[in-house]
Amino acid sequence: MFENHLQLGNGVFTTQEIAQILRVPYPKVRNWITQYWDGELGKCYEQQYSWSVGNTRAVGFHTLIEFYVMMQFTLAGVKTKAVLKAHKELGEHFKTNFPFAKKEVLDHISTDGLKVYFKINDVNITLDGSKQFNLDIIKMFFKNLDFDNDMLASRFWPMGKSHKVVCDPHRKFGQPVLDGTSIQSEAIYRMYLAKEPLNFIASIYEIPLKSVKDAIAFHKNAA
């Protein structure tokens, strides 16, 4: 089922917001949306992963997670073509439009920096249509995600779980909030930019000082 329209629980992330959350250049995110997810992958399902929000595009939470996975493969040196082939094969195998958001996939996917592999029955299979075997791989870990009962990504911790900023599609349409609250991290950052003391901000919102510092650090790094 596609998440290509505004709906509670799906989250809403514009191109600019994705770029800020994932620390990825805006043009790259725009290209991922238009050329790959809406283009090459969308053609497989005769659908689009995004929808219009003003003059930009927006996607749901699970597409954000797929972009996060895409970013991990890019950092590992894997070419986009190889990632898209893996996405298509895994999508067909698991009958889902969001294979990179499934825990079963992320627990068994890996790369050697060139190809993408998936472990089936303790054997690593190349996800490029060749089904070649390869055991010399680098495991990819996705420790910044929580999963729901359906084993789909349910929350994303952009700074890691030792920090308090989290993207939860059930809170503020997935915009970064402080864990356990509906306080958007951006609100904290704006008070910081207004020269309000950190202890005062923590007192006003009744949150730990660490939460304030994490919110500020998150938006400083995204600037």
Side-chain angles (χ1 to χ4, degrees):
M1 180 177 175
F2 275 85
E3 299 170 358
N4 52 8
H5 60 282
L6 180 60
Q7 184 175 334
L8 288 176
N10 282 353
V12 180
F13 304 90
T14 65
T15 308
Q16 185 62 47
E17 289 166 348
I18 296 167
Q20 292 176 343
I21 292 171
L22 298 184
R23 316 293 198 262
V24 175
Y26 176 90
K28 180 173 288 188
V29 176
R30 183 179 58 195
N31 194 48
W32 286 350
I33 292 175
T34 58
Q35 184 173 347
Y36 301 130
W37 264 255
D38 278 354
E40 189 165 339
L41 294 176
K43 287 179 181 177
C44 296
Y45 309 104
E46 298 181 350
Q47 285 273 10
Q48 286 189 324
Y49 281 80
S50 73
W51 69 94
S52 295
V53 174
N55 295 322
T56 187
R57 307 297 297 173
V59 301
F61 177 73
H62 290 122
T63 303
L64 170 72
I65 299 305
E66 294 216 314
F67 288 170
Y68 171 62
V69 175
M70 177 73 165
M71 181 181 72
Q72 305 307 312
F73 280 119
T74 299
L75 292 174
V78 184
K79 299 296 184 183
T80 301
K81 185 177 181 180
V83 179
L84 295 178
K85 284 184 177 180
H87 188 286
K88 291 176 183 176
E89 289 199 31
L90 290 168
E92 291 175 3
H93 181 78
F94 288 99
K95 294 179 173 54
T96 176
N97 305 322
F98 305 100
F100 290 165
K102 285 186 66 70
K103 188 176 190 301
E104 185 175 359
V105 170
L106 299 182
D107 280 346
H108 297 94
I109 202 168
S110 56
T111 182
D112 59 1
L114 294 174
K115 295 182 178 181
V116 181
Y117 304 93
F118 187 72
K119 182 176 286 188
I120 299 177
N121 298 326
D122 294 323
V123 176
N124 292 296
I125 296 177
T126 309
L127 293 173
D128 62 359
S130 68
K131 299 295 188 296
Q132 296 176 4
F133 301 117
N134 190 303
L135 300 178
D136 184 19
I137 59 176
I138 302 171
K139 185 73 180 72
M140 300 189 73
F141 297 95
F142 299 94
K143 298 180 179 179
N144 293 356
L145 301 174
D146 290 337
F147 297 88
D148 59 21
N149 292 333
D150 295 323
M151 294 296 103
L152 275 173
S154 59
R155 299 203 301 175
F156 171 50
W157 303 79
M159 302 174 70
K161 294 184 180 179
S162 62
H163 299 277
K164 296 297 184 180
V165 178
V166 63
C167 294
D168 182 341
H170 295 283
R171 293 179 182 269
K172 300 295 183 180
F173 290 100
Q175 294 303 301
V177 298
L178 298 176
D179 183 35
T181 77
S182 292
I183 301 169
Q184 290 185 256
S185 57
E186 186 177 0
I188 303 296
Y189 187 59
R190 287 177 178 172
M191 291 191 71
Y192 163 77
L193 292 179
K195 309 299 183 183
E196 299 287 0
L198 302 194
N199 286 326
F200 173 74
I201 299 173
S203 176
I204 287 294
Y205 282 99
E206 299 182 338
I207 56 176
L209 185 60
K210 174 175 171 50
S211 296
V212 175
K213 292 180 177 179
D214 283 349
I216 294 169
F218 172 72
H219 286 279
K220 272 188 173 182
N221 291 333

